[in-house]
Amino acid sequence: MGNRSLYKRNYQLYLMIIPGIISAFIFYYLPMAGAIMAFQDFKPWLGFIESPWVGFKHFHTIFQYDESKQVIWNTLVIASLKIVFGLIVPVTFALLLNEVRNTKLKKTVQTLVYFPHFLSWVLLGGVLLDILSPNGGLLNRFIEGVFGIEPFFFLGDGTSFRITVIVSDVWKEFGFSTIVFLASLAGISPTLYEASVMDGANRWKQTVHVTIPGILPIIIVMGTLALGNVLNAGFDQIFNLYNPLVYDKGDIIDTYVYRMSIINGDYSFGTAVGLFKSIVAMILIIISYRLAYKFANYRIF
């Protein structure tokens, strides 16, 4: 069948994707023209055409400012810890949940841990602010009542802020990742467990020698693909939780771009930082995709 006949036969399907293509062009590709500001000393009243060109000046400035270098470091630390614990916790939980033989209990627990994934950081940020508040927050009231310790501003200290960010992110998302690993566990052949029982293996040895090797490819895929997001530390979460007291350890690239561009009005420098992040992220995605193909034989195309 020729291409012309194929198009004629399926033209309804091609018509259906046109709105999606137009939407993607308007909201994703058209705004990319604004990246030109990274190479200009952009002034809103002069526009793109009359604003002076400065070449790579703003990209050099990124590595001259101590603040911008600290922001890149914060992003790497927070995102890396999210990736590590975002793998360890759901894998461990999936292995434990897989041992539950009561189907109703298993589905109930699975639904409960999956639910936070649907909540926005605007809502969760408000809840965390109330719980961790030094002025009558639930956690501080508990610590003060049980241990007699003075209230502590968890979101006002850099170290405790990072811990709060990582723990709350893992709590919100580990249920979603658990589903992926449970699906992978369901794909392991029961004959392998039967053979291990015949060899005298207990549940622990079955987990070590059958279960973990069975889901290892999907763990490698999830881990390597997560490397592509190592510069995405979570704008929504940080933006709804942080404050000027924790800028030194909590400010990430996305929130820094927001502050420099929208708050301070330095559109060109903010765009340069965002463009730098996008280019590095694209390189990391390509590398992680290659690694996933090499170690787990995973490929989309």
Side-chain angles (χ1 to χ4, degrees), residues 111-278:
T111 303
L112 289 175
V113 298
Y114 186 41
F115 177 70
H117 172 75
F118 297 100
L119 301 178
S120 72
W121 277 115
V122 177
L123 174 63
L124 291 178
V127 173
L128 286 173
L129 288 174
D130 284 339
I131 293 175
L132 302 176
S133 171
N135 300 317
L138 188 63
L139 184 57
N140 271 310
R141 290 174 62 183
F142 173 78
I143 293 175
E144 187 177 10
V146 175
F147 302 103
I149 300 175
E150 291 295 319
F152 181 72
F153 191 11
F154 290 95
L155 298 179
D157 177 78
T159 303
S160 62
F161 177 81
R162 282 184 179 175
I163 295 173
T164 303
V165 166
I166 294 163
V167 170
S168 57
D169 181 77
V170 171
W171 167 77
K172 183 177 183 293
E173 300 297 340
F174 86 95
F176 180 80
S177 301
T178 297
I179 293 176
V180 177
F181 295 115
L182 283 174
S184 180
L185 287 169
I188 299 175
S189 174
T191 56
L192 295 176
Y193 290 104
E194 293 171 0
S196 64
V197 171
M198 294 294 291
D199 292 336
N202 54 27
R203 295 300 298 175
W204 172 248
K205 290 186 177 179
Q206 288 177 27
T207 301
V208 173
H209 298 289
V210 178
T211 306
I212 292 179
I215 64 171
L216 192 57
I218 193 65
I219 294 175
I220 294 174
V221 169
M222 298 287 283
T224 51
L225 293 183
L227 291 177
N229 291 319
V230 75
L231 292 183
N232 289 322
F235 173 81
D236 292 344
Q237 182 190 21
I238 302 291
F239 183 74
N240 284 287
L241 292 177
Y242 83 158
N243 58 74
L245 294 175
V246 294
Y247 279 170
D248 59 332
K249 289 190 175 180
D251 204 12
I252 60 173
I253 293 177
D254 290 332
T255 53
Y256 185 61
V257 169
Y258 171 79
R259 287 199 300 115
M260 296 302 293
S261 302
I262 306 301
I263 305 298
N264 296 343
D266 193 349
Y267 302 105
S268 294
F269 182 69
T271 305
V273 175
L275 189 58
F276 167 75
K277 175 204 163 187
S278 300

Side-chain angles (χ1 to χ4, degrees), residues 279-300:
I279 293 172
V280 174
M282 184 183 69
I283 295 172
L284 290 174
I285 289 173
I286 294 173
I287 293 174
S288 61
Y289 182 74
R290 294 287 184 185
L291 290 174
Y293 175 64
K294 181 177 181 180
F295 292 107
N297 197 29
Y298 171 83
R299 62 185 306 172
I300 300 174

Side-chain angles (χ1 to χ4, degrees), residues 62-74 256:
I62 293 174
F63 298 100
Q64 292 174 347
Y65 282 177
D66 291 337
E67 187 181 26
S68 55
K69 287 189 283 189
Q70 181 63 40
V71 164
I72 294 172
W73 173 249
N74 292 342
Y256 185 61

